[in-house]
Amino acid sequence: MATRVLLLLGTKKGAFIAESDAARRSWTLRGPYCETWPMNHVIGDPRTGTIYGGGGNEWFGPAVWKSTDLGETWTHSSAGLAYPAGEEPIKAVWSIAPGPDGLYAGVQPAGLFHSADAGQNWRHVEGLRRHPSQPHWQPGGGGLILHSLVRHPHDDRQLWVGISTAGVFHTADGGDTWEPRNHGTRADFMPEGQNYPEVGQCVHCLVTAPGMPDRLYQQNHCGMYRSDDGGKRWESIEAGLPSTFGFPAAAHPRDPETLYLLPLNGDSAGRYVPDGKAAVWRTRDAGRTWQDLRDGLPQQNAYFGVLRQAMATDPLDSAGVYFGTSSGALFASRDEGDRWECIAEHLPAILSVETLTVEG
């Protein structure tokens, strides 16, 4: 059977799908879907082929969309996506993570929900917002959002989340209790002497390394980090990068030493690629050294940004790498980042990029 490669795009005006075969030389684009709602995260479940999208805003409220036919038709539900009476209403869903025991969804303002019936009904995982630090969580520039969900590949009760601006938290009991895991990550925006708090860091993106579930990579507002013990301690790996600031990180599908980043020029300098010259940065040794990959990327007048969920890899040989920009361009590499091409332009601002491969 033929392999189909789908790029699942969440944008400010709905979901889009770019599709190719295993050669990945020619792409077709379809959409927008989800009635052009703002879609913060669109992801596929590789076990079932079902596509889920998290979206919403102040006008529409939160919802999770679902397609069981690779995007041809969609349904959505917000049943249960609410905090108890008296608490701030939920504005949007920001992240989705499928797994054997159902779906997790991260929302704004930051909290966690679980669905055991493929997104039809949702249950608040109350333990996270019961953490003693919760009253002190503060919104980052994009709001107080739970944007990163990392599931342990072999233990459904273990989960890591990233919250802006609160930091990384881990549960080992399915969400009943949570532990902050921010030791070693800076908060440069805090007063002098308070730059390493237990909670309050502005994590931008959190991903796990393939085959090493306790190895995590984190792009932070204030640096780039690796942890080899599930986030208990973080080591800076920003030396050699052009900036300590950026949003997306994407792990190689098989090699735990290989990671891709797209640094930006800084939090108060425009938040675009440094010097207006686009580059993806790759490490092959877990962040000890970095290489800039520019072949095929614009090297002048490129003033776009790339957001926290807008970079992904596919599982093929060799691995494909993809990213979408704030100006609506979608870039692809079919050779692990060595060469790039623009495969779509003039889309709405791209908020997320994920991949799904299916047979048939």
Side-chain angles (χ1 to χ4, degrees):
M1 299 178 69
T3 298
R4 300 168 64 183
V5 181
L6 277 63
L7 306 184
L8 312 177
L9 312 179
T11 83
K12 285 191 174 182
K13 297 181 181 180
F16 291 79
I17 298 177
E19 183 172 340
S20 184
D21 58 17
R24 297 164 295 178
R25 296 182 183 278
S26 177
W27 296 85
T28 59
L29 183 71
R30 46 193 172 94
Y33 298 120
C34 307
E35 299 176 9
T36 68
W37 278 38
M39 297 303 294
N40 296 312
H41 192 208
V42 182
I43 192 167
D45 186 340
R47 299 172 305 114
T48 65
T50 301
I51 300 173
Y52 297 96
N57 60 11
E58 291 88 345
W59 296 103
F60 296 109
V64 172
W65 292 74
K66 178 173 69 173
S67 174
T68 58
D69 53 13
L70 299 181
E72 297 299 328
T73 60
W74 296 78
T75 59
H76 72 282
S77 175
S78 57
L81 287 173
Y83 291 138
E87 293 192 30
E88 185 177 355
I90 295 172
K91 296 179 180 178
V93 174
W94 271 85
S95 52
I96 301 287
D101 65 341
L103 304 175
Y104 282 105
V107 303
Q108 176 189 11
L112 185 65
F113 285 78
H114 182 265
S115 173
D117 58 4
Q120 289 300 112
N121 297 279
W122 295 89
R123 172 187 61 85
H124 183 206
V125 182
E126 299 178 2
L128 181 60
R129 286 179 64 86
R130 286 203 303 261
H131 191 271
S133 67
Q134 190 274 333
H136 305 290
W137 298 354
Q138 297 294 324
L144 182 58
I145 56 177
L146 195 162
H147 52 69
S148 290
L149 287 167
V150 175
R151 303 189 65 149
H152 194 285
H154 311 303
D155 182 356
D156 290 338
R157 296 181 64 77
Q158 286 200 60
L159 180 73
W160 293 264
V161 302
I163 299 173
S164 297
T165 301
V168 174
F169 291 79
H170 172 262
T171 181
D173 56 16
D176 291 337
T177 61
W178 294 81
E179 176 188 7
R181 294 203 168 174
N182 301 297
H183 183 77
T185 54
R186 304 190 311 275
D188 292 339
F189 43 82
M190 296 289 285
E192 186 175 353
Q194 302 177 35
N195 304 119
Y196 290 89
E198 181 183 35
V199 171
Q201 289 84 346
C202 188
V203 54
H204 281 179
C205 184
L206 185 70
V207 297
T208 188
M212 296 181 64
D214 284 333
R215 171 171 286 180
L216 302 172
Y217 294 102
Q218 177 188 161
Q219 174 67 68
N220 195 285
H221 190 104
C222 307
M224 185 65 210
Y225 302 91
R226 187 191 74 238
S227 174
D228 292 325
D229 57 7
K232 295 177 182 178
R233 293 182 178 273
W234 294 92
E235 175 186 353
S236 172
I237 56 171
E238 62 199 51
L241 292 170
S243 168
T244 61
F245 182 88
F247 286 99
H252 190 278
R254 291 172 295 277
D255 181 5
E257 302 282 296
T258 297
L259 183 77
Y260 299 90
L261 301 178
L262 205 151
L264 302 181
N265 65 344
D267 61 348
S268 59
R271 300 191 177 197
Y272 51 78
V273 292
D275 302 318
K277 300 177 180 180
V280 172
W281 291 72
R282 181 180 63 197
T283 179
R284 296 285 201 188
D285 53 16
R288 296 171 184 86
T289 61
W290 295 91
Q291 175 190 10
D292 56 325
L293 309 172
R294 301 178 182 271
D295 189 359
L297 297 177
Q299 294 304 293
Q300 61 180 357
N301 301 323
Y303 296 105
F304 57 72
V306 178
L307 297 176
R308 69 184 85 245
Q309 290 166 298
M311 176 179 279
T313 59
D314 72 33
L316 275 64
D317 293 323
S318 63
V321 190
Y322 311 91
F323 70 88
T325 74
S326 58
S327 56
L330 179 63
F331 289 89
S333 169
R334 58 179 181 268
D335 56 9
E336 309 213 344
D338 288 340
R339 291 173 295 277
W340 296 86
E341 60 179 329
C342 183
I343 62 172
E345 294 183 281
H346 313 306
L347 295 174
I350 297 172
L351 307 179
S352 74
V353 178
E354 297 283 0
T355 67
L356 177 66
T357 56
V358 295
E359 301 297 325

